[in-house]
Amino acid sequence: SKHCSGQDFQISRVLVSFNSAVTKEEEVLLEQYLVGWDELIKFMEALGTVFSFISQEVKGKIGILRELQSTARGNEYYSVRSMMDHELRHNLVNFHKQTNSGCRTLLRLHRALKWLELFLHKLGMSSDESNTSDLCQEAYNEALAPYHSWLVRQAASMAFLALPERKVFFDIVCIEHEGEAQLVLERTVRSIVRVYNIMQEAYHSRGMLNLP
Ligand code: 1PX
């Protein structure tokens, strides 16, 4: 459709951004990673107002990280590992209570990326009879629900019911023919998995997977 040639959301841009976030040395570049999230926000905004509480939440997290990048020590926020080591070295990471550290903020986006990986994978494998709300809910239950409060879980489940059906979805992400959906989605999933695994290891090796 027409919007796919313009500035709107394209699933391929997500793939390109997350791919370019990973260097030869297996570093994740923070700025490129956030550009990937910018692309995802465009998509959420195309889905309509029901999802704006979710995109506002993501924008808030991105805003905190960009703010940190713009400070005097901003160069320390070049890659995920340089950010972690900088914040740990200067005791900026609180393991007992919630703060606005880069590490705990990025961890929220990191967990959400697991949801996206599962959802896109399920969508790629889905058939005509599949229901996007169900796929979304299943992925959410696996990846994100364990970290969310009861109230947030209820709100999320309500939002999922407003998701468009598969065909509309493929149109929004600019997949023209259903036949290419699986291929495009699997390539996107692979780029997400690559970034996710590197970050998971970085959080794990520093004992930071459960930051409040
Ligand atoms: C084909 C492309 C699909 C693009 C989808 C875009 C990705 C959306 C990812 C949404 C992730 C949202 C949550 C991220 C942060 C978070 O977990 N925040 C919670 C904890 O924060 P705190 O600072 O208090 O520790 C916060 O409590 C959560 C707030 C509201 C989020 C509610 C549910 C998220 C649902 C998951 C995705 C639904 C997107 C539907 C679009 C297909």
Side-chain angles (χ1 to χ4, degrees), residues 99-147:
T99 62
N100 271 351
S101 68
C103 288
R104 72 83 57 192
T105 302
L106 186 67
L107 181 60
R108 270 62 194 169
L109 294 180
H110 172 65
R111 289 168 176 167
L113 215 56
K114 176 54 85 177
W115 166 81
L116 185 62
E117 174 202 322
L118 297 176
F119 177 61
L120 293 182
H121 177 71
K122 287 173 195 288
L123 198 62
M125 296 302 191
S126 66
S127 68
D128 248 350
E129 300 86 62
S130 305
N131 179 306
T132 48
S133 309
D134 293 342
L135 303 179
C136 192
Q137 182 75 57
E138 287 167 24
Y140 177 76
N141 291 347
E142 248 180 275
L144 270 179
Y147 303 106

Side-chain angles (χ1 to χ4, degrees), residues 43-44 47 57 61 104 108 112 115-116 120 148 160 173:
F43 176 75
M44 277 187 277
L47 283 176
E57 161 67 16
K61 298 284 187 268
R104 72 83 57 192
R108 270 62 194 169
W115 166 81
L116 185 62
L120 293 182
H148 286 167
F160 299 158
V173 299

Side-chain angles (χ1 to χ4, degrees), residues 2-13:
K2 203 164 111 252
H3 77 273
C4 292
S5 52
Q7 289 301 305
D8 291 324
F9 180 89
Q10 292 180 27
I11 192 82
S12 58
R13 292 228 197 104

Side-chain angles (χ1 to χ4, degrees), residues 165-183:
E165 58 173 301
R166 275 170 85 251
K167 282 192 172 56
V168 179
F169 219 95
F170 289 153
D171 190 46
I172 295 175
V173 299
C174 298
I175 293 173
E176 281 186 60
H177 312 287
E178 273 224 37
E180 66 177 324
Q182 191 172 348
L183 185 72

